[in-house]
Amino acid sequence: MEPRDIEGDLTEILIEEDEIRAKLAELSRRIEADYADKDVLLVGVLKGAVMVMADLARELQIPITMDWMAVSSYGSGTESSGVVRILKDLDTDLTGRHVLIVEDIIDSGLTLSWLMANLNSRGPESIEICALLRKPEAARVDIDVKYFGFDIPNKFVVGYGLDYNEKYRNLRSVGILAPHVYS
Ligand code: IMP
Ligand code: MG
């Protein structure tokens, strides 16, 4: 759906659909070059990364394989606590694999730093991260995001996979959610 389909629910459109497409093309060219002679396994983090994964994977002009993980971070309300539980694990053995984690957004970075440590313990050959969005707070934790799309303000955003109460994931662009929706 388009922003006009949820008129009033957004205060601002941050990133348009065509900007996302152009950015994913740019990232894809780098990923193709970096993994030219390697089999890369894309690991998507459910559910937010579904759109990024679908578009990135189709944009890539190299063979890839895909797997999915679902995690939940314990914490109060909207704050990530860093204590993470695996809801759905990978089907793939990571031993000797080149892993590229695909994420929608890095907020505190706690989820991703936990995930990096967890996947690293499974003996992969390499692990890198591709994330479409990054909030400033993320810079405070030590995560090396090799491929990232856009730095965004510290506001709650929805669309392109990102939800509020499971809604707005199918919005084609990324926008700032109006406070009246969640207050
Ligand atoms: P972190 O551990 O704080 O980096 O949490 C990251 C996760 O929180 C993301 O994968 C999203 O699922 C969720 N998240 C963080 N910020 C937002 C937002 O602005 N809108 C929707 N979901 C968000
Ligand atoms: Mg996520």
Side-chain angles (χ1 to χ4, degrees), residues 18 34 46 49 61-62 69 71 126 134 146 151 157 168:
D18 57 349
D34 294 349
L46 293 169
Q61 294 164 11
I62 52 169
M69 256 181 113
V71 297
S126 69
R134 188 172 66 179
K146 190 162 186 184
D151 274 319
V157 296
Y168 307 106

Side-chain angles (χ1 to χ4, degrees), residues 45-49 71 73 78-82 84 103-114 133 135 137-138 141 143 152-159 161-165 167 169 174-175 177:
V45 185
L46 293 169
K47 303 167 196 172
V71 297
S73 45
T78 56
E79 293 286 298
S80 183
S81 64
V84 178
E103 254 289 31
D104 47 1
I105 189 168
I106 308 174
D107 185 359
S108 72
L110 291 171
T111 306
L112 213 42
S113 59
W114 181 91
L133 308 171
K135 289 187 186 176
E137 187 81 13
V141 279
I143 306 181
I152 60 165
N154 209 0
K155 298 266 172 63
F156 195 83
V157 296
V158 293
L162 291 157
D163 73 306
Y164 171 68
N165 269 349
K167 280 177 67 187
R169 291 193 197 275
V174 174
L177 192 63

Side-chain angles (χ1 to χ4, degrees), residues 55-183:
D55 287 343
L56 179 75
R58 286 180 294 181
E59 177 62 33
L60 283 169
Q61 294 164 11
I62 52 169
I64 57 101
T65 47
M66 259 181 228
D67 204 347
W68 299 91
M69 256 181 113
V71 297
S72 92
S73 45
Y74 288 112
S76 53
T78 56
E79 293 286 298
S80 183
S81 64
V83 182
V84 178
R85 187 166 55 113
I86 296 176
L87 302 176
K88 184 232 172 282
D89 208 343
L90 299 172
D91 300 323
T92 314
D93 178 3
L94 296 190
T95 313
R97 299 299 307 267
H98 293 284
V99 175
L100 180 57
I101 300 174
V102 177
E103 254 289 31
D104 47 1
I105 189 168
I106 308 174
D107 185 359
S108 72
L110 291 171
T111 306
L112 213 42
S113 59
W114 181 91
L115 199 59
M116 280 292 272
N118 184 284
L119 299 187
N120 251 319
S121 71
R122 307 182 192 193
E125 181 72 24
S126 69
I127 300 194
E128 298 293 349
I129 297 167
C130 176
L132 184 68
L133 308 171
R134 188 172 66 179
K135 289 187 186 176
E137 187 81 13
R140 296 192 207 172
V141 279
D142 187 24
I143 306 181
D144 187 15
V145 187
K146 190 162 186 184
Y147 312 97
F148 86 93
F150 304 93
D151 274 319
I152 60 165
N154 209 0
K155 298 266 172 63
F156 195 83
V157 296
V158 293
Y160 202 70
L162 291 157
D163 73 306
Y164 171 68
N165 269 349
E166 297 300 325
K167 280 177 67 187
Y168 307 106
R169 291 193 197 275
N170 63 325
L171 180 66
R172 289 177 176 273
S173 46
V174 174
I176 297 175
L177 192 63
H180 75 78
V181 177
Y182 52 86
S183 59

